[in-house]
Amino acid sequence: MSIMTLLPFIVLIGAMFLMTRSAKKKQQAATQMRNEMQPGTGVRTIGGMYATVKEIHDDSVLLEVAPGVHALYAKNAIGAVLADEEYNRILDSADPVVPDDASSLTGDIAADATESGDKAGKIDLGKDETPADADADAEKPAAKDAEAAKDAVKADAETAKDDKKAGGADAK
């Protein structure tokens, strides 16, 4: 056999060696990080939960996930041990992502307009009537449509009863 036929196999074996070596280094670094944990340090679990280490056992860690709430985790479930500054920054900025109201999304002009009651931030759509008049006019047809729909449902129900009594197609 020549060296040219063995070259692809040598390259393949070398690549496999390098991949397993880098994976082994990462695993050793993660194990070392978990072994350096001390009570009081902040950690992030592999699920993304932030907690404070309370106790460390051989294969498990007791974490305080909220004040007075403790949970027991496997050491392998610790994704990262955080520096004190980073952990405090994450906990201090735990504001909700979604605001409670839409005022922060509309801008200062619309917020000022709604607070003062003026029409500075409103857009004129060419309607002459006031919103109160429009609401009153819109309620009248809606109420009539609702009553008509109720009457139609009652009439359909009575027709179905009459057909069943008379022995119609739906009676069976």
Side-chain angles (χ1 to χ4, degrees):
M1 286 190 154
S2 72
I3 190 104
M4 293 305 281
T5 56
L6 293 177
L7 187 62
F9 294 112
I10 294 171
V11 170
L12 183 64
I13 291 171
M16 289 174 46
F17 174 74
L18 291 176
M19 283 191 276
T20 56
R21 185 172 161 223
S22 64
K24 197 172 192 179
K25 280 186 176 181
K26 287 180 184 178
Q27 187 177 17
Q28 286 176 349
T31 303
Q32 182 182 359
M33 172 201 57
R34 290 182 188 116
N35 288 335
E36 290 176 357
M37 280 189 301
Q38 296 178 356
T41 59
V43 295
R44 182 181 66 235
T45 65
I46 58 174
M49 184 175 63
Y50 294 94
T52 305
V53 176
K54 287 298 176 183
E55 295 177 8
I56 300 172
H57 303 287
D58 292 335
D59 293 332
S60 62
V61 178
L62 184 67
L63 301 178
E64 184 176 31
V65 296
V69 179
H70 296 89
L72 188 64
Y73 278 83
K75 270 190 177 179
N76 291 339
I78 305 301
V81 177
L82 305 173
D84 289 337
E85 301 84 31
E86 183 181 0
Y87 183 67
N88 291 332
R89 181 186 55 84
I90 290 169
L91 289 183
D92 290 341
S93 67
D95 296 331
V97 176
V98 179
D100 291 339
D101 59 350
S103 63
S104 64
L105 302 175
T106 57
D108 294 336
I109 297 173
D112 293 340
T114 55
E115 288 176 5
S116 62
D118 60 355
K119 295 184 179 182
K122 295 183 181 178
I123 299 172
D124 182 22
L125 298 175
K127 295 183 179 179
D128 293 334
E129 60 188 7
T130 62
D133 295 340
D135 290 341
D137 292 340
E139 289 177 7
K140 291 177 186 174
K144 289 180 185 177
D145 290 341
E147 290 176 14
K150 286 180 186 178
D151 291 340
V153 170
K154 286 181 184 178
D156 288 342
E158 289 175 9
T159 305
K161 284 183 184 178
D162 291 341
D163 285 345
K164 285 184 180 182
K165 287 181 183 176
D170 291 337
K172 297 179 181 176

